[in-house]
């Protein structure tokens, strides 16, 4: 089966299986920042944007992406680097495995929420798991990145 979609502002025709998940399609197309983690939509490693909204690619059928605009972290390098600096400054460095999906979620949150409360930030991040850090330093970094009082 062939679908046409836009990935990182580039029109692409992709051969997929009818039951293929988006994570597999993206990785086959060379977007290796999209990671396979839990395969249940629970960890956030596979987060990409579809039409500007965060989506778990491990639980999204690729066939549903026909005609849609998909964004991976490869298209957001400047924003991702800016956020990474906030993470490093707060001692919230990560091994890198969960970082792309986590960063995609944070960048989407920044676009969607203005001056969020700590509870709104935590709610938005629900489902993003990290095994390298405690979440306290990540939360401090996110608040500073979002311009929220710490």
């Amino acid at each position: 089966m062939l679908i046409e979609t836009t990935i990182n502002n580039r029109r692409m025709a992709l051969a997929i299986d009818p039951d293929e998940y988006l994570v597999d399609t993206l990785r086959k197309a060379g977007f290796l920042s999209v990671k396979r983690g839990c395969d249940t939509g629970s960890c956030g490693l596979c987060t990409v944007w579809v039409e500007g909204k965060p989506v778990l690619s491990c639980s999204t059928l690729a066939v549903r992406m026909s005609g849609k605009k998909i964004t991976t972290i490869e298209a957001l390098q400047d924003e991702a680097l800016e956020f990474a600096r906030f993470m490093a400054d707060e001692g919230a460095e990560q091994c890198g495995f969960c970082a792309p999906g986590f960063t995609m979620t944070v960048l989407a949150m920044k676009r969607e929420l203005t001056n969020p409360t700590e509870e709104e930030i935590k709610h938005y991040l629900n489902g993003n798991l990290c095994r390298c850090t405690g979440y306290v330093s990540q939360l401090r970094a996110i608040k500073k990145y979002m311009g929220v009082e710490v």
Side-chain angles (χ1 to χ4, degrees):
M1 163 180 282
L2 193 66
I3 63 167
E4 290 190 21
T5 188
T6 301
I7 303 175
N8 298 339
N9 297 314
R10 194 175 82 198
R11 293 279 301 150
M12 299 181 79
L14 302 168
I16 63 164
D17 293 326
D19 61 348
E20 186 172 300
Y21 287 100
L22 182 57
V23 64
D24 299 314
T25 302
L26 291 170
R27 289 188 62 80
K28 282 192 320 189
F31 300 99
L32 302 180
S33 69
V34 184
K35 304 283 196 301
R36 175 175 298 290
C38 66
D39 281 335
T40 63
S42 300
C43 71
L45 266 66
C46 66
T47 302
V48 298
W49 295 352
V50 176
E51 302 295 333
K53 299 289 184 192
V55 169
L56 299 170
S57 63
C58 77
S59 58
T60 302
L61 289 172
V63 71
R64 298 188 68 208
M65 297 300 103
S66 186
K68 304 273 187 192
K69 180 180 177 186
I70 301 165
T71 306
T72 70
I73 202 165
E74 285 90 347
L76 302 168
Q77 289 301 299
D78 291 339
E79 291 174 72
L81 183 58
E82 178 188 4
F83 176 60
R85 287 186 188 115
F86 282 86
M87 292 285 282
D89 288 348
E90 291 303 319
E93 294 93 350
Q94 298 169 298
C95 72
F97 193 67
C98 69
F102 180 78
T103 300
M104 291 297 288
T105 302
V106 172
L107 297 180
M109 178 174 36
K110 184 167 185 172
R111 291 171 186 235
E112 187 176 326
L113 302 179
T114 304
N115 200 29
T117 65
E118 185 171 314
E119 287 307 310
E120 288 173 317
I121 292 170
K122 287 178 180 177
H123 179 74
Y124 205 100
L125 293 173
N126 191 25
N128 281 270
L129 301 179
C130 175
R131 288 168 174 72
C132 294
T133 66
Y135 293 100
V136 175
S137 57
Q138 289 178 337
L139 187 56
R140 270 195 323 266
I142 292 167
K143 285 178 171 180
K144 287 183 178 180
Y145 176 69
M146 301 275 297
V148 175
E149 289 292 319
V150 179

